Amino acid sequence: MGNMEHVGHTLETFAAQCHDFIKAEPGPAGRKKVCGLLSEVLSDEQFVAKYVDSNKAERNMLYEDPEFGFVILAHNYEGPKESAPHDHGPSWAIYGQARGETAMNDWSLLEAAGPEKTGKVKHVRTYKLTPGVAHLYNEGDLHSPSRAASTKLIRIEGTNMEKVRRFKFEAV
């Protein structure tokens, strides 16, 4: 294999490892391993340059898993933005910070949301996602990202959220 040992992560090897972790341990334990792996991948400058920096789209799907349906996305967010509290419906998500900084807020549920009803949430804490930091949000975990400037992320969703209806929440 010659110099191959020195090559960093590729999208293919990263996706395959994520798949294997989820297959071996479906549920939070396997996702935690995926989260750790994502953190490693984010510290690989070549990987970030190739799959994140080169991407100009706000949402760019890099990979969709044929067996489990999880997706790996590269995000390129321009300028400041405040997002409302949300969960990922019946799914989970892992946020991995590649460039810039995200202030992430965690919320606790006071009243459930539904199709005609905005849920009520209470602020729990705020913490920073800085380059190389990855964070797992399991089903029902409520969070809201906020950024003061442009950021780039790799995000993994348990399912392609573009196809999932989500309910609204408001802080009280």
Side-chain angles (χ1 to χ4, degrees), residues 14-74:
F14 175 52
Q17 285 178 287
C18 291
H19 177 98
D20 292 347
F21 285 147
I22 289 168
K23 191 180 181 88
E25 295 182 88
R31 296 168 202 166
K32 238 191 165 88
K33 289 184 177 158
V34 170
C35 190
L37 179 64
L38 176 55
S39 194
E40 246 173 72
V41 164
L42 290 165
S43 63
D44 180 337
E45 266 305 311
Q46 284 169 307
F47 186 96
V48 172
K50 181 170 181 181
Y51 298 109
V52 184
D53 291 344
S54 64
N55 160 51
K56 299 293 170 248
E58 189 165 286
R59 178 189 173 96
N60 180 28
M61 194 185 295
L62 299 175
Y63 174 82
E64 185 162 13
D65 190 78
E67 187 177 353
F68 299 112
F70 70 86
V71 293
I72 300 173
L73 306 155

Side-chain angles (χ1 to χ4, degrees), residues 2-170:
N3 289 333
M4 288 304 279
E5 294 85 52
H6 304 295
V7 173
H9 300 269
T10 65
L11 181 60
E12 293 70 23
T13 58
F14 175 52
Q17 285 178 287
C18 291
H19 177 98
D20 292 347
F21 285 147
I22 289 168
K23 191 180 181 88
E25 295 182 88
R31 296 168 202 166
K32 238 191 165 88
K33 289 184 177 158
V34 170
C35 190
L37 179 64
L38 176 55
S39 194
E40 246 173 72
V41 164
L42 290 165
S43 63
D44 180 337
E45 266 305 311
Q46 284 169 307
F47 186 96
V48 172
K50 181 170 181 181
Y51 298 109
V52 184
D53 291 344
S54 64
N55 160 51
K56 299 293 170 248
E58 189 165 286
R59 178 189 173 96
N60 180 28
M61 194 185 295
L62 299 175
Y63 174 82
E64 185 162 13
D65 190 78
E67 187 177 353
F68 299 112
F70 70 86
V71 293
I72 300 173
L73 306 155
H75 292 288
N76 185 358
Y77 294 123
E78 293 288 334
K81 185 171 183 222
E82 200 65 44
S83 296
H86 64 275
D87 61 13
H88 286 262
S91 191
W92 52 272
I94 298 170
Y95 285 64
Q97 195 77 22
R99 307 272 186 227
E101 191 174 284
T102 301
M104 186 64 85
N105 298 286
D106 285 354
W107 303 84
S108 65
L109 185 66
L110 299 176
E111 278 177 42
E116 307 302 319
K117 182 176 180 292
T118 300
K120 304 228 183 304
V121 296
K122 187 173 131 226
H123 187 257
V124 177
R125 67 184 183 128
T126 302
Y127 49 98
K128 282 182 167 58
L129 299 183
T130 52
V133 175
H135 205 284
L136 166 63
Y137 301 92
N138 284 306
E139 294 87 346
D141 286 353
L142 291 151
H143 53 279
S144 64
S146 160
R147 59 179 191 269
S150 300
T151 59
K152 293 183 182 192
L153 313 176
I154 290 181
R155 232 161 43 89
I156 302 174
E157 294 174 344
T159 187
N160 185 354
M161 291 305 295
E162 283 188 332
K163 302 175 183 148
V164 176
R165 179 170 184 195
R166 294 207 260 183
F167 301 133
K168 296 203 177 327
F169 296 91
E170 63 182 6

